[in-house]
Amino acid sequence: MTDLHAVPARVRAGSPNPITDLDRYREHAARAAANPDGFWLEETRRRVAWRTEPTQGLASSFHDIAQGPLSWFGDGRLNITESCLDRHLATQGDKVAILWEGDEPGDCRTLTYRELHAEVCRTASALQRLGLKRGERAIIYMGMVPEAAIAMLACARLGAIHSVVFGGFSAEALRDRIRDCSAEVVITQDEGRRAGRTIPLKATTDLACTGETGVKKVLVYRRTGAPVEWTEGRDVWWHDVVPQGDAALPATECAAEDPLFILYTSGSTGRPKGVVHTCGGYITWAQYTHRTVFDLRDDDVYACVADVGWITGHTYIVYGPLANGATTLMFESTPLYPDSGRYWDLVQRHGITIFYTAPTAIRALAACGDEHVSRYDRSTLRVLGTVGEPINPEAWNWYYDVVGEGRCNIVDTWWQTETGGICLTPIAPATPTKPGSATLPMPGILPSLRTPEGRVIRGPGEGLLCIEQPWPGQARTVWGDHERFVATYFGMFPGLYFTGDGCKRDADGYYWITGRVDDVLNVSGHRMGTAEFESALVSSEAIAEAAVVGFPHPIKGQGVYAYVVLQSGQALTDDLEQTMQGVCRTRIGAHARVDRLQVVPGLPKTRSGKVMRRLLRKIAEGRGDELGDVSTLADPTVVDAIRAGAQRG
Ligand code: WTA
């Protein structure tokens, strides 16, 4: 076995984790597989503050998914904010819950559990007075300020459903989401701050709310003090209503399967889907995985530098850490501001012990040179996590050797918006690691590799990654469209959850994710659909047709490669290129950029008119000479033209 890293002694020492070695791991995994109901009922009763403890485990199955959503802990009653806040007051009310570091180094705020509890109650009470009720939707369109987490928890306190929209999304994308879930309330801020720049969140909200949207109130937190437009009767300042709220507002009791939040994510077709997570199962999975995988200890200072606009921010900045009574960092800035030492400056100043980031950041920082790391004291670090895309062994080794000085265990955590939390991963004190492998499944996760025809691949091999059995944290449905949920995740292999990822399993049973096999792009850990780019591009009058694929990018993981057919009479000019970037920005968001653009005479299509994306992907990858048989194309000559004009880095 080459490249197998034993767990460093320091990570093992004093671990409170019940899973401290591979034998214990196997024992837990075997119990969860043999008796999921018994296993998860026991775990959830120990880990979650239920008002009425559940006696029911899983109802329904993947085979019956078309009849309706899965249910876990169906007869349990709870409000998840009592797990995240109230229960910690008696034992650790003065412990720091949220440690915030603003855009400027050293601009910090802390909220203890007592303070956070009071602020969440006040905010919930203010939202209640603004008319938000149990089951209604509130959109949260904010930057990385503590108030974003407070807003999420305040909605949850009322039993209202939040949907956080990443602050980089455009007004159009925001409007689509507001409409799709018929949100009554939008919570935003005057401006966001990031890397010394400001982001006009309120102005974008105003634009998104023009026309018929059903939004009755916009609650605005003041972050920068910049002047903003004001719609009387609709807009309300946070500081005018929250301080008067009830600091001890009782939580609304919810059913285990009440929706907790909707998070929109890109799929291979059409519009983004509103993935729905429910209260009881989600909080169980968030608490369990956060504690187990990172080997959380009472005095840890835990930092996940994602954004609350993505699922990682939901589960591993807010819900998992708070349900565990941990100190969780919220970071407003970027790894490169004011310079590429920022993360390690954070580690030194705050004594961070667990640090969780994305491969794209690791690759970008590795390229800046080791001196930005070694300048800072990282001796407090114990566990280093990565998530969002496959990590290449070079980046893994840099993280292990340079950042962690060989003393930390790396947890390469594979999961998805739809899985709610981590599914394949090392467990910090237990699992020997291999650079580039997400290693082994969490207890309760039963991966299955399949051929495209659905045949099971046993032992070592490569195939499509599916999961065989339900687990508490998985998404229940797509908001307003259960059929789409069933078709997307269970249509390919009936009775199995299909992840959309390709995966290898080696002789040790270790899993190696190879990336998406569908038309989802993963650019710097941002998940985007090729269909979203294509529809943005063809909305420009100059473009007749567009096909977008990913290509390997040394820092971003994947880059965006667009093949466009221009309307007759059009030519590619700098202006036109700007227009194309512009439509992507306005239709999707600031994070949606085309990296390579190629004008082609036509797209390669089959005789039935289907675009052969496989060919376009190969050409974008620089493997245009490995196309194989193209004789089924309606016009094989377009391929030669595309190959000849391919863009190289
Ligand atoms: C990819 C992010 C390899 C994968 C939590 C998945 C990964 C998609 C890993 C989900 C990993 C996530 N190794 N690939 N450790 N983690 N992915 O919904 O393709 O934003 O399907 O959730 O990211 O992206 P999403």
Side-chain angles (χ1 to χ4, degrees):
M1 247 188 287
T2 54
D3 274 351
L4 189 73
H5 290 259
V7 177
R10 167 189 160 85
V11 184
R12 268 177 199 281
S15 171
N17 206 318
I19 303 181
T20 42
D21 56 42
L22 280 182
D23 289 340
R24 299 280 186 87
Y25 159 75
R26 290 208 179 89
E27 186 234 312
H28 280 245
R31 274 201 290 123
N35 177 11
D37 280 358
F39 186 87
W40 292 116
L41 278 168
E42 190 186 320
E43 290 294 343
T44 196
R45 289 190 200 125
R46 272 202 301 126
R47 294 171 184 278
V48 172
W50 292 92
R51 288 206 185 163
T52 307
E53 282 193 350
T55 63
Q56 299 167 354
L58 171 67
S60 186
S61 75
F62 284 167
H63 290 282
D64 300 320
I65 196 86
Q67 272 82 66
L70 298 167
S71 158
W72 280 94
F73 317 131
D75 58 347
R77 312 272 308 168
L78 79 170
N79 181 291
I80 65 94
T81 66
E82 293 181 340
S83 289
C84 293
L85 302 169
D86 303 62
R87 69 163 154 180
H88 304 311
L89 297 183
T91 51
Q92 47 172 23
D94 296 323
K95 179 171 176 178
V96 173
I98 294 182
L99 170 57
W100 178 79
E101 166 119 352
D103 198 34
E104 294 305 324
D107 178 15
C108 297
R109 276 169 67 191
T110 56
L111 284 115
T112 64
Y113 272 94
R114 201 178 315 287
E115 290 164 341
L116 181 62
H117 172 266
E119 196 61 10
V120 167
C121 286
R122 283 191 210 103
T123 308
S125 153
L127 286 168
Q128 194 172 46
R129 263 186 276 128
L130 294 178
L132 187 66
K133 296 190 198 57
R134 178 173 173 196
E136 290 181 347
R137 275 76 56 207
I139 292 271
I140 300 173
Y141 183 63
M142 300 180 83
M144 286 296 289
V145 288
E147 283 66 22
I150 291 167
M152 293 163 75
L153 292 160
C155 292
R157 188 115 185 134
L158 298 175
I161 304 166
H162 63 70
S163 183
V164 184
V165 176
F166 172 60
F169 277 111
S170 68
E172 282 190 38
L174 178 58
R175 185 187 299 128
D176 286 348
R177 287 155 176 77
I178 290 172
R179 284 194 178 148
D180 187 82
C181 71
S182 348
E184 307 266 332
V185 172
V186 178
I187 308 172
T188 187
Q189 60 192 69
D190 51 359
E191 290 181 325
R193 275 284 313 249
R194 215 160 168 267
R197 289 194 296 272
T198 55
I199 301 149
L201 295 169
K202 172 65 165 68
T204 307
T205 302
D206 289 339
L207 215 55
C209 291
T210 49
E212 202 38 59
T213 59
V215 170
K216 300 202 179 80
K217 294 287 173 191
V218 176
L219 181 62
V220 189
Y221 172 70
R222 181 178 278 161
R223 164 69 181 97
T224 66
V228 291
E229 299 279 323
W230 208 249
T231 303
E232 287 305 330
R234 185 197 70 180
D235 297 352
V236 182
W237 281 115
W238 182 288
H239 55 255
D240 283 341
V241 292
V242 170
Q244 287 102 293
D246 176 357
L249 184 82
T252 302
E253 188 172 295
C254 299
E257 284 296 343
D258 281 354
L260 172 60
F261 64 84
I262 303 169
L263 186 59
Y264 286 86
T265 191
S266 298
S268 38
T269 53
R271 297 173 300 124
K273 305 180 276 280
V275 168
V276 178
H277 283 284
T278 57
C279 296
Y282 173 80
I283 200 69
T284 304
W285 196 250
Q287 200 276 5
Y288 176 75
T289 53
H290 182 254
R291 178 158 290 265
T292 308
V293 171
F294 296 103
D295 192 38
L296 190 71
R297 305 178 188 190
D298 285 346
D299 55 355
D300 270 324
V301 179
Y302 165 86
C304 166
V305 288
D307 191 288
V308 287
W310 309 109
I311 192 68
T312 305
H314 283 61
T315 310
Y316 298 111
I317 295 177
V318 181
Y319 289 115
L322 296 179
N324 278 310
T327 296
T328 182
L329 182 108
M330 284 184 83
F331 180 46
E332 190 179 34
S333 196
T334 77
L336 302 173
Y337 183 78
D339 62 42
S340 44
R342 185 69 186 273
Y343 279 168
W344 325 118
D345 172 38
L346 278 181
V347 168
Q348 173 176 296
R349 274 191 292 113
H350 299 296
I352 291 166
T353 54
I354 305 175
F355 188 78
Y356 194 24
T357 187
T360 186
I362 298 169
R363 286 189 296 263
L365 294 175
C368 296
D370 299 357
E371 62 282 6
H372 295 287
V373 186
S374 50
R375 250 190 296 144
Y376 297 99
D377 178 4
R378 284 116 45 234
S379 58
T380 52
L381 288 172
R382 192 180 76 251
V383 179
L384 298 172
T386 120
V387 59
E389 34 166 339
I391 180 163
N392 47 313
E394 300 72 31
W396 194 104
N397 282 315
W398 185 82
Y399 203 27
Y400 186 84
D401 293 328
V402 177
V403 175
E405 295 175 298
R407 287 180 286 104
C408 304
N409 220 17
I410 296 206
V411 292
D412 172 3
T413 64
W414 175 89
W415 58 293
Q416 312 177 291
T417 303
E418 296 86 343
T419 70
I422 296 167
C423 290
L424 300 178
T425 183
I427 291 174
T431 318
T433 48
K434 299 185 191 187
S437 169
T439 74
L440 299 169
M442 283 303 287
I445 297 296
L446 304 186
S448 175
L449 301 186
R450 301 282 166 138
T451 65
E453 299 75 38
R455 206 167 37 76
V456 182
I457 298 166
R458 296 189 200 283
E462 178 168 357
L464 303 173
L465 178 64
C466 299
I467 303 179
E468 284 184 356
Q469 243 185 42
W471 64 100
Q474 78 182 111
R476 300 298 193 254
T477 190
V478 167
W479 182 257
D481 197 348
H482 190 63
E483 263 175 42
R484 188 168 175 206
F485 179 77
V486 175
T488 307
Y489 304 107
F490 300 90
M492 179 104 166
F493 305 111
L496 283 182
Y497 170 75
F498 175 46
T499 64
D501 280 336
C503 185
K504 282 193 261 208
R505 186 170 45 219
D506 69 16
D508 298 316
Y510 274 41
Y511 289 88
W512 303 73
I513 303 291
T514 54
R516 302 289 305 196
V517 296
D518 55 9
D519 294 319
V520 171
L521 300 175
N522 196 329
V523 181
S524 300
H526 294 157
R527 183 168 158 180
M528 290 181 279
T530 54
E532 291 165 68
F533 274 99
E534 289 162 6
S535 82
L537 288 168
V538 298
S539 75
S540 152
E541 281 178 2
I543 298 177
E545 283 187 284
V548 170
V549 298
F551 69 94
H553 188 284
I555 303 287
K556 298 179 181 186
Q558 270 191 313
V560 177
Y561 196 121
Y563 298 90
V564 297
V565 182
L566 299 181
Q567 297 284 12
S568 62
Q570 295 284 346
L572 185 65
T573 57
D574 285 352
D575 270 1
L576 183 60
E577 201 165 335
Q578 292 299 325
T579 311
M580 289 189 217
Q581 297 291 9
V583 289
C584 295
R585 202 176 325 113
T586 47
R587 299 277 294 231
I588 310 171
H591 55 300
R593 263 193 69 78
V594 172
D595 297 289
R596 291 188 191 162
L597 182 72
Q598 184 184 352
V599 172
V600 295
L603 296 174
K605 292 184 185 164
T606 59
R607 290 193 192 97
S608 57
K610 196 166 153 355
V611 176
M612 300 265 291
R613 312 179 64 85
R614 185 178 57 81
L615 303 183
L616 295 174
R617 247 180 253 129
K618 280 233 170 104
I619 295 171
E621 285 166 13
R623 292 160 56 202
D625 46 356
E626 303 168 27
L627 299 186
D629 183 14
V630 295
S631 61
T632 55
L633 289 177
D635 176 6
T637 63
V638 295
V639 170
D640 297 326
I642 296 174
R643 245 191 315 223
Q647 304 290 303
R648 296 282 150 72

